[in-house]
Amino acid sequence: MAVRSGLWPAFLGIVLAAWLRGSGAQQSATVANPVPGSNPDLLPHFLVEPEDVYIVKNKPVLLVCKAMPATQIFFKCNGEWVRQVDHVIERSTDGSSGLPAMEVRINVSRQQVEKVFGLEEYWCQCVAWSSSGTTKSQKAYIRIAYLRKNFEQEPLAKEVSLEQGIVLPCRPPEGIPPAEVEWLRNEDLVDPSLDPNVYITREHSLVVRQARLADTANYTCVAKNIVARRRSTSAAVIVYVDGSWSPWSKWSACGLDCTHWRSRECSDPAPRNGGEECRGTDLDTRNCTSDLCVHTASGPEDVALYVGLIAVAVCLLLLLLVLILVFCRKKEGLDSDVADSSILTSGFQPVSIKPSKADNPHLLTIQPDLSTTTTTYQGSLCPRQDGPSPKFQLTNGHLLSPLGGGRHTLHHSSPTSEAEDFVSRLSTQNYFRSLPRGSSNMAYGTFNFLGGRLMIPNTGISLLIPPDAIPRGKIYEIYLTLHKPEDVRLPLAGCQTLLSPIVSCGPPGVLLTRPVILAMDHCGEPSPESWSLHLKKQSCEGSWEDVLHLGEEAPSHLYYCQLEAGACYVFTEQLGRFALVGEALSVAAAKRLKLLLFAPVACTSLEYNIRVYCLHDTHDALKEVVQLEKQLGGQLIQEPRILHFKDSYHNLRLSIHDVPSSLWKSKLLVSYQEIPFYHIWNGTQQYLHCTFTLERVSPSTSDLACKVWVWQVEGDGQSFNINFNITKDTRFAELLALESEGGVPALVGPSAFKIPFLIRQKIITSLDPPCSRGADWRTLAQKLHLDSHLSFFASKPSPTAMILNLWEARHFPNGNLSQLAAAVAGLGQPDAGLFTVSEAEC
C-alpha cells in the first residue's frame, strides 16, 4: 500500500533530525541511530539491503530495501532524497512477532547516473524508521557497464622450436565490470585444468611451458563481461622441429669399385613445420682394400646386348615417323573434302564455322547436328513430309522424346520467304568478316526471329536469344566474348571486388523486342547481410555504370537478374559489356577460391616444382589454368579444394611440410609463402599461384609424400596430403577433363532449344491468361521455384515465355524435359491440350 501524503511532513522532520545526528559517518555499513530512552531492540534492522548493480545499455536497475520493525523507509541517492512518488512501498506484519515490516523499491535510470560528473560514483542508500530510532543501510553503487572494442595488447604470431616456452600476452579492453579473459586454440577453449602444460597468468597472458607439435594452432584472446564479448586478432603459432641425424649405419661390403659406404637419415627427429634440415651429407664413402675387390671388364655378351637395344630403338623411331606422315596426309585429305562440300540446306541446325580457303574466300562450311534424327528444318517451322500420311509422330529425336506420348502434326508447306531469304543471305555473304577468328574465348553466329544460342565452351558463359527477340525481317550478326581482366579496365573502389568474368555480347545498339538471357558464373557466397551486389555495364564512352542493384530490381528496369549459388542469369534488352561486382558489407563476406595443385608430368631433372593455384571458383578461370598447364606439361596431383576467402584484409599463406629429408630437399628458405590480400580480393589478376621447389636426393627417387597447407590468417584453410609416384601416377588427370557444353558454340533456330517450338507456343497460349483455379503461369513459376520474380514476369507481354526462356538458359543442354512436362501437366491443364499439335495450328 502507498504511504499517505499527510504523514510526509511529520516523517520528514524525524528524518532530518535523525540524519543530522548520523551525517558524520558516510561508511557503507548499516548504521543505527536510536532515540534516547527507547528500546534498542525495536530499532529497524534490514532483511534486504540494496546491492551494487550495473546498468547494461539503457535498461534501468531496481534497488530493494526491506526492514523490520519499520514504519517508514526512504531512499537517498548521492545525498539527495528520492521523491516519494518514485517509491513503491509494501507494508506487512510479521506473523510471529507482530512487528510491522516494510519493503521499498526504486528504479534508477542511465540518465540519472550520467548526471553525476567528476570522480564521484553514483550511490543509493535507504533509511528505515521505527519508534526507537533510524537505521541506514549499506550504500549500493550503480555503475554504467561497458566494454571498449580495442584490446590494449593483442597476441602476436610466433615461430618456436620444439620444447621451447611460449608466452602470448593479452591485455583486454577497458571495461566496467572488468573483463574476464579466456583463450581459444583453433576456436576450442583452452582449459588449464585439463592441460598441465598450459596456464594463464594474472595479467591474462597464455603460457605454454614446453611447446609441442600439437600446439601449432591459431590462438585468440577473448574478453567478455555482462555487456559484450570481444575477440583479439588471432596469433598463428608454429612449432617447428629442426632435423637431426640418426646414427651412421654399418659400413657396406667392399664394392667392385673398391669403395664401401655408410648412410644416415635426417630423422632423429625429422624436420617438421619449416624446421631446418640437417647440415652435412647423408652418405659417406671411402676406399677399401679386400681380396674381393677385383676389377672386371664387360664381356662380349654385354656388348651384344647394348647393340641390340640401340637397333630396336632406331626401328621404333622410324615406325613412329611413318605413322605421323600417314596421319597428316589423311587429315589433309579429309579437310579438303569437308571444305569443298556445301551443306547449307541443313537450315537452323547447330553451325560451326571453318576458316575459308585462300582460293575461295566466301565459302562458309556449316556442319549439321548429327546427334538428332528429327526432320531437318529448312527455314519454316513445318518441314516437307516425304511420306503419304498427313500425320506422323516424332518420337525418335532427343528434342521431343522426353515429353512422352504427345502427337505432333506438321503441315505440308513450302519455306516462307523470310526464312528463304535468311538461308540465301547466309550462303552467299560473309557475315563474319568483321569478327576475329581462332579465339577459344569467343562465339558468333547469324540469327533471325527464330532465335538461337551462343556458348563459349567450358566457361559457363552463354547467350540465349529467345524466339521473336529479333524483329521479323531482321537478321543480326551476334557475338559473345570472354575478356581477360587485364585487357579491360574495370575500376573498383573501396571494398568492391570482381565476382564474375567480364563478358561482352553485341553488337551494341541492335533493336531487341524481347530480353535475351546472358548466363555467367560467379564466385561469391551471396547473402543480403554480407554483400551488396551490382551488375555493371560499360557505356559507349568507356565508363562503367551500375545498371542493376541486385535485390532492389524494379519490373520496369531494362535489366533483371536471377542469382543462384554459382551462376547468374541476366535478362537484358540492350547488348553490351557486363560484369558482376560485389561490395562487402561486413568481414563475413567471402569469395570462393578453387585451389589446384599441379606438377610436371615428366621430371627429367633433380628439381621438381609443385604449383599451387588460387583462382576464382568459376569455369572460365579453371579453363584458363588447365590450358596453361597443358602448355607447361603439368598434371593435377590432388583433388581440387574450395577455400572461402573473407574480406578481413588478411593475406593468404601457403606452406609445405613433412617432406622426407632422406629423399627430398625443400628449397623454401622461409616457413611460408604469401599472396597479398588485395591481389586476390580485387579479382582482376589471373593465374595467382605459388611454387614450391623440391630437389631429389637421387635420380631414382620417384615417391613423394608431403603436406601443403593453404590458409587465410584468421580465416578458412585447406590441407593437401600428397602421396604419389611422380613417374607413373596420373589418377587425378581425369578430374579436369574439359567437357563439351552442347557441341558447337553457335546453335541457330529450333535446335538451340530443348522445348520444341510448337509445344512451347501451346504452353504459352494456355498459361498466359489468368485462371481463377490457379492453373496459369504464376503456379508454374512456383513449381519451378521462380516465384520471387513474379512482378518481373508480370511486366512482360508473355510471362510464360519469360519463365520458359529462363528454364532454357538454366538447363541447356542437360535439362530434364520430363520434369518440366510434369510441372506443366500438374497445373490442371489437360495433357492433350498442351502437347498435341494439330495440322491447322502448324
Side-chain angles (χ1 to χ4, degrees):
M1 60 179 291
V3 178
R4 289 180 295 174
S5 60
L7 295 176
W8 176 249
F11 283 117
L12 186 57
I14 298 174
V15 169
L16 293 175
W19 188 263
L20 288 174
R21 288 195 298 269
S23 60
Q26 292 295 329
Q27 67 274 15
S28 297
T30 301
V31 178
N33 294 299
V35 176
S38 62
N39 184 358
D41 295 335
L42 296 180
L43 279 172
H45 65 276
F46 285 97
L47 304 177
V48 178
E49 294 187 75
E51 296 180 348
D52 294 348
V53 289
Y54 295 95
I55 295 177
V56 179
K57 298 182 179 179
N58 292 317
K59 297 179 180 179
V61 294
L62 180 67
L63 299 181
V64 180
C65 272
K66 186 175 183 180
M68 184 185 71
T71 56
Q72 280 296 344
I73 299 178
F74 285 99
F75 273 93
K76 190 174 189 179
C77 295
N78 273 57
E80 297 182 0
W81 292 103
V82 178
R83 297 183 307 168
Q84 182 183 8
V85 295
D86 294 331
H87 291 73
V88 177
I89 302 174
E90 292 184 3
R91 295 180 183 275
S92 61
T93 302
D94 183 65
S96 59
S97 63
L99 295 176
M102 289 186 64
E103 179 176 315
V104 179
R105 297 186 296 273
I106 65 170
N107 285 319
V108 179
S109 67
R110 183 186 182 103
Q111 290 76 13
Q112 291 174 262
V113 178
E114 289 177 340
K115 288 181 181 179
V116 178
F117 297 98
L119 300 177
E120 185 179 6
E121 292 187 290
Y122 193 91
W123 56 266
C124 289
Q125 186 179 42
C126 56
V127 183
W129 287 266
S130 71
S131 58
S132 297
T134 63
T135 304
K136 302 174 188 175
S137 72
Q138 66 181 6
K139 288 183 179 180
Y141 289 90
I142 299 93
R143 300 176 177 91
I144 298 175
Y146 66 92
L147 184 63
R148 302 198 185 281
K149 292 185 177 181
N150 297 325
F151 280 72
E152 295 183 4
Q153 184 178 10
E154 293 187 290
L156 300 176
K158 291 180 179 292
E159 294 184 6
V160 298
S161 62
L162 190 68
E163 298 184 353
Q164 181 182 343
I166 304 174
V167 179
L168 296 176
C170 177
R171 292 170 58 192
E174 178 187 349
I176 295 179
E180 299 177 357
V181 172
E182 62 186 21
W183 284 85
L184 301 179
R185 179 196 285 129
N186 287 343
E187 303 303 319
D188 294 329
L189 182 65
V190 176
D191 188 352
S193 64
L194 301 178
D195 187 354
N197 193 42
V198 175
Y199 68 92
I200 300 175
T201 67
R202 292 182 179 180
E203 293 77 23
H204 311 300
S205 297
L206 179 66
V207 178
V208 180
R209 291 183 172 90
Q210 289 185 320
R212 304 156 297 189
L213 288 176
D215 294 321
T216 298
N218 289 326
Y219 289 84
T220 308
C221 181
V222 179
K224 61 181 180 179
N225 64 7
I226 59 176
V227 179
R229 187 173 187 267
R230 311 289 188 204
R231 292 168 56 99
S232 73
T233 301
S234 293
V237 174
I238 298 178
V239 181
Y240 62 87
V241 179
D242 290 333
S244 181
W245 291 112
S246 66
W248 286 103
S249 66
K250 293 182 179 180
W251 287 101
S252 67
C254 196
L256 295 177
D257 55 352
C258 293
T259 62
H260 61 172
W261 56 269
R262 63 177 181 174
S263 65
R264 59 180 178 175
E265 295 183 350
C266 188
S267 59
D268 190 21
R272 300 285 296 275
N273 296 350
E276 290 187 0
E277 297 283 344
C278 300
R279 298 180 182 274
T281 178
D282 59 352
L283 188 66
D284 184 19
T285 60
R286 291 183 183 178
N287 292 329
C288 61
T289 57
S290 171
D291 294 340
L292 299 177
C293 182
V294 179
H295 292 279
T296 60
S298 298
E301 296 85 358
D302 295 334
V303 175
L305 176 62
Y306 295 147
V307 172
L309 291 176
I310 294 173
V312 171
V314 171
C315 292
L316 291 176
L317 181 60
L318 292 175
L319 179 62
L320 179 61
L321 292 174
V322 171
L323 291 176
I324 293 175
L325 290 174
V326 172
F327 175 77
C328 293
R329 290 179 180 243
K330 287 187 176 181
K331 187 174 184 301
E332 290 176 359
L334 179 62
D335 289 345
S336 176
D337 294 341
V338 173
D340 292 339
S341 64
S342 177
I343 47 176
L344 292 172
T345 56
S346 58
F348 300 109
Q349 296 294 324
V351 298
S352 64
I353 308 302
K354 179 179 285 296
S356 59
K357 291 190 172 182
D359 58 347
N360 194 355
H362 296 289
L363 178 60
L364 292 178
T365 302
I366 304 179
Q367 303 291 350
D369 181 8
L370 301 180
S371 63
T372 174
T373 56
T374 56
T375 303
T376 301
Y377 289 92
Q378 294 189 3
S380 70
L381 295 177
C382 302
R384 302 178 186 275
Q385 300 175 12
D386 299 328
S389 174
K391 292 187 177 182
F392 65 95
Q393 187 164 350
L394 299 177
T395 59
N396 59 339
H398 71 279
L399 292 176
L400 297 176
S401 56
L403 282 175
R407 183 172 295 276
H408 315 278
T409 303
L410 301 181
H411 181 62
H412 287 281
S413 172
S414 60
T416 63
S417 60
E418 187 172 2
E420 282 182 328
D421 178 63
F422 175 67
V423 174
S424 174
R425 292 177 63 183
L426 180 63
S427 60
T428 58
Q429 299 184 33
N430 186 355
Y431 268 80
F432 306 110
R433 179 170 295 172
S434 60
L435 300 177
R437 297 291 203 279
S439 172
S440 63
N441 290 332
M442 184 175 189
Y444 39 82
T446 301
F447 303 89
N448 70 347
F449 73 95
L450 293 175
R453 186 189 305 263
L454 290 174
M455 296 176 295
I456 303 178
N458 304 309
T459 64
I461 299 171
S462 66
L463 181 69
L464 179 75
I465 307 167
D468 291 323
I470 297 176
R472 290 178 180 262
K474 299 289 186 180
I475 298 177
Y476 293 158
E477 300 172 285
I478 296 180
Y479 62 85
L480 182 66
T481 304
L482 167 64
H483 299 278
K484 293 183 178 180
E486 60 266 25
D487 296 337
V488 178
R489 182 175 178 80
L490 174 60
L492 299 173
C495 299
Q496 289 184 338
T497 177
L498 180 63
L499 297 177
S500 76
I502 301 175
V503 180
S504 290
C505 53
V510 297
L511 175 64
L512 297 174
T513 56
R514 300 284 189 276
V516 298
I517 301 179
L518 175 65
M520 54 187 177
D521 289 350
H522 70 84
C523 64
E525 286 291 325
S527 68
E529 299 80 14
S530 303
W531 285 106
S532 175
L533 301 176
H534 298 264
L535 180 69
K536 285 184 174 287
K537 181 175 182 288
Q538 193 172 28
S539 67
C540 298
E541 293 78 16
S543 61
W544 287 86
E545 302 171 348
D546 290 341
V547 296
L548 181 63
H549 186 184
L550 274 66
E552 299 182 4
E553 301 96 337
S556 58
H557 282 175
L558 294 174
Y559 310 92
Y560 204 83
C561 184
Q562 158 78 3
L563 186 69
E564 298 183 356
C568 59
Y569 301 89
V570 179
F571 290 82
T572 176
E573 296 183 26
Q574 294 184 355
L575 304 183
R577 184 172 295 171
F578 297 92
L580 183 67
V581 171
E583 183 173 359
L585 301 179
S586 70
V587 294
K591 298 171 63 171
R592 295 189 315 277
L593 299 183
K594 177 161 286 188
L595 307 178
L596 301 170
L597 271 63
F598 282 90
V601 174
C603 183
T604 58
S605 65
L606 293 179
E607 285 193 353
Y608 189 75
N609 293 324
I610 298 177
R611 294 180 289 276
V612 185
Y613 289 88
C614 308
L615 55 129
H616 283 178
D617 183 24
T618 57
H619 286 88
D620 63 286
L622 177 62
K623 174 184 176 181
E624 293 293 329
V625 169
V626 171
Q627 290 179 342
L628 174 65
E629 280 296 328
K630 283 185 176 180
Q631 298 173 5
L632 297 176
Q635 65 170 337
L636 190 70
I637 62 172
Q638 275 288 300
E639 188 171 346
R641 303 278 182 86
I642 299 297
L643 183 142
H644 294 85
F645 190 78
K646 292 186 177 181
D647 180 25
S648 62
Y649 299 98
H650 289 295
N651 298 338
L652 191 71
R653 291 181 178 177
L654 304 93
S655 60
I656 189 167
H657 305 274
D658 299 344
V659 179
S661 58
S662 60
L663 301 175
W664 297 86
K665 292 182 180 180
S666 173
K667 290 194 172 183
L668 185 65
L669 301 179
V670 293
S671 58
Y672 56 83
Q673 300 188 64
E674 202 163 36
I675 300 178
F677 168 81
Y678 287 104
H679 288 188
I680 299 175
W681 191 253
N682 63 18
T684 59
Q685 298 197 32
Q686 287 188 310
Y687 314 131
L688 284 175
H689 72 282
C690 287
T691 300
F692 295 100
T693 301
L694 305 177
E695 184 177 357
R696 290 185 287 179
V697 174
S698 168
S700 62
T701 300
S702 59
D703 292 325
L704 174 61
C706 62
K707 293 181 180 179
V708 173
W709 293 354
V710 183
W711 77 99
Q712 184 184 19
V713 180
E714 296 188 30
D716 192 15
Q718 291 288 355
S719 175
F720 296 87
N721 293 320
I722 299 174
N723 190 354
F724 78 113
N725 188 294
I726 66 172
T727 60
K728 58 185 178 181
D729 198 338
T730 60
R731 63 182 183 271
F732 298 104
E734 296 180 357
L735 293 178
L736 291 185
L738 296 179
E739 299 178 358
S740 174
E741 294 179 335
V744 293
L747 298 174
V748 185
S751 61
F753 305 96
K754 293 286 291 184
I755 308 171
F757 183 82
L758 298 180
I759 293 180
R760 168 191 168 92
Q761 294 303 107
K762 290 286 291 183
I763 296 175
I764 293 173
T765 304
S766 301
L767 300 185
D768 268 353
C771 180
S772 58
R773 294 181 291 106
D776 59 13
W777 63 270
R778 294 174 179 83
T779 308
L780 178 61
Q782 293 173 357
K783 286 180 174 290
L784 299 179
H785 307 292
L786 300 174
D787 45 322
S788 60
H789 306 311
L790 292 180
S791 59
F792 170 72
F793 296 147
S795 68
K796 301 304 176 184
S798 174
T800 309
M802 294 295 104
I803 297 174
L804 297 181
N805 293 343
L806 182 55
W807 186 92
E808 290 275 7
R810 296 169 68 195
H811 295 91
F812 190 87
N814 302 316
N816 191 332
L817 275 178
S818 299
Q819 293 180 356
L820 178 62
V824 174
L827 301 180
Q829 298 278 0
D831 289 356
L834 287 178
F835 301 119
T836 301
V837 181
S838 67
E839 181 174 357
E841 291 174 318
C842 185

